[in-house]
Amino acid sequence: RIYPNPATEELNITGVPQTMSYRIINITGAALQQGSLHEGGNNVSMHNYAPGVYIIEMTGADGVRNIARVVKE
């Protein structure tokens, strides 16, 4: 679960089943931020991003990718 969406300062990502890598990508395809998500709940800062639509791509150790669209206000 990713909330709030639209986001202002940060995203909360809960229900992460295993350690995963993530990337935040803008609409032109440029990766703006990357890091790791840990099992359970995580916070990802959106503070420095301009208002718009972004993609968060989360990839597990097994290579399975989850993609979500996030709006930054």
Side-chain angles (χ1 to χ4, degrees):
R1 182 168 177 233
I2 299 173
Y3 66 94
N5 193 6
T8 54
E9 296 295 316
E10 70 179 15
L11 288 174
N12 298 302
I13 302 172
T14 60
V16 177
Q18 62 182 332
T19 299
M20 305 176 88
S21 62
Y22 77 89
R23 294 189 313 157
I24 294 180
I25 304 164
N26 66 15
I27 59 171
T28 64
L32 304 175
Q33 179 178 336
Q34 59 187 18
S36 295
L37 300 173
H38 304 286
E39 188 174 338
N42 299 267
N43 297 325
V44 175
S45 176
M46 296 288 289
H47 177 74
N48 293 326
Y49 299 131
V53 177
Y54 297 88
I55 302 296
I56 183 163
E57 176 186 86
M58 300 164 283
T59 306
D62 55 4
V64 174
R65 207 179 311 170
N66 294 299
I67 297 172
R69 185 173 23 181
V70 177
V71 176
K72 166 68 163 73
E73 288 187 329

